[in-house]
Amino acid sequence: MEVLGQTIDDAAGEAIDKCSKVMGLGYPGGPIIDKLARQGNPKAFKFAEPNIPDLDYSFSGLKTSFLYSLQKWVKDDPDFIEHHKEDIAASLEWTIVDILMKKLKKAVKQTGIKHVAVAGGVSANNGLRNAFYDAQKRYGWTIYIPKFSYTTDNAAMIGIVGYYKYLDKEFCSIDAPAFSKVTFK
C-alpha cells in the first residue's frame, strides 16, 4: 500500500461533526447532517474550498469559513440556522464531497488505477456514496462501498487496535508521546 494523499488536519467526518456542533445540532454530526442534507439545496451557500497542492487535503479553512459565515448570518437573523439548516447541511456536505472527489479524480488520473474504495465513518454519508456511484457511471471506475453496517467510525477502529494491543500486552509508559500513526505487525 502507498499513501498518495491525506488530510493535513481533520478528516472529512471530523469536519462534519465539528460543523454540526457549531450549528447546535449535536454529536456525532454525520448522521444529522446527512439527514438534513437530503432535504436541502447543496448550492444555497458557498463555503471555502482550500487549495492544497498534490493529493493532500484540508478542512480547516472550510471549518473557519463555515463558522464565520454562520456568525455573520446569525448576527443578522438569530434564527438563521433554524430557518436554513437543511440548506446549510446540504451546502456543507456538497463542499466536503466536492473536495474529496476532486482529489480522488486527480489520484485516478495520476495513477491510472480505476478501482477505488471508500471507508470509515464518512462512508455512510449518502452524498459521498452517490458521488462514488456517479463516478462509476461517468468514468468507468470499479467502486467499493461498504454496507452501512460496516461504515464504522474511526473511534471503533482505534478501539479494536487498543484491544489487540492489550491482548498482546503491548503497553507503554504514561509519559510516552502520543502519535497518530498506527503500525501493524
Side-chain angles (χ1 to χ4, degrees):
M1 180 180 98
E2 178 184 354
V3 176
L4 301 174
Q6 59 190 355
T7 181
I8 60 173
D9 45 53
D10 287 350
E14 269 183 293
I16 291 170
D17 286 342
K18 288 177 180 177
C19 290
S20 173
K21 188 174 179 182
V22 167
M23 290 176 67
L25 299 176
Y27 179 89
I32 300 165
I33 294 295
D34 191 19
K35 183 178 178 184
L36 291 171
R38 302 288 64 78
Q39 304 163 32
N41 174 3
K43 303 289 183 142
F45 302 105
K46 180 139 178 68
F47 302 111
E49 287 193 38
N51 188 12
I52 307 299
D54 302 317
L55 297 173
D56 289 335
Y57 51 94
S58 168
F59 294 109
S60 65
L62 166 63
K63 291 184 310 185
T64 301
S65 170
F66 187 84
L67 174 64
Y68 289 165
S69 294
L70 284 184
Q71 286 174 340
K72 178 183 174 287
W73 297 329
V74 168
K75 184 179 178 185
D76 295 338
D77 174 6
D79 295 322
F80 185 87
I81 294 172
E82 185 58 36
H83 294 150
H84 301 280
K85 64 184 172 189
E86 292 87 0
D87 290 341
I88 296 168
S91 298
L92 172 66
E93 178 186 89
W94 184 91
T95 304
I96 289 174
V97 169
D98 189 52
I99 291 167
L100 293 173
M101 293 307 291
K102 282 178 182 172
K103 294 296 182 168
L104 181 56
K105 289 173 196 172
K106 189 175 183 178
V108 168
K109 186 175 181 180
Q110 285 180 9
T111 64
I113 296 170
K114 293 187 176 187
H115 288 254
V116 295
V118 62
V122 77
S123 66
N125 179 273
N126 282 294
L128 185 58
R129 293 169 84 89
N130 290 336
F132 263 70
Y133 290 123
D134 181 54
Q136 180 179 35
K137 288 179 204 162
R138 183 174 291 169
Y139 307 116
W141 296 354
T142 302
I143 62 170
Y144 303 93
I145 299 175
K147 296 177 185 177
F148 278 107
S149 59
Y150 297 129
T151 57
T152 307
D153 189 289
N154 291 344
M157 291 182 239
I158 291 167
I160 197 70
V161 169
Y163 172 72
Y164 285 114
K165 287 192 175 284
Y166 172 79
L167 290 179
D168 290 343
K169 298 188 184 337
E170 287 185 44
F171 304 108
C172 66
S173 70
I174 192 74
D175 60 343
F179 60 94
S180 61
K181 303 291 181 210
V182 177
T183 57
F184 296 93
K185 294 179 184 177

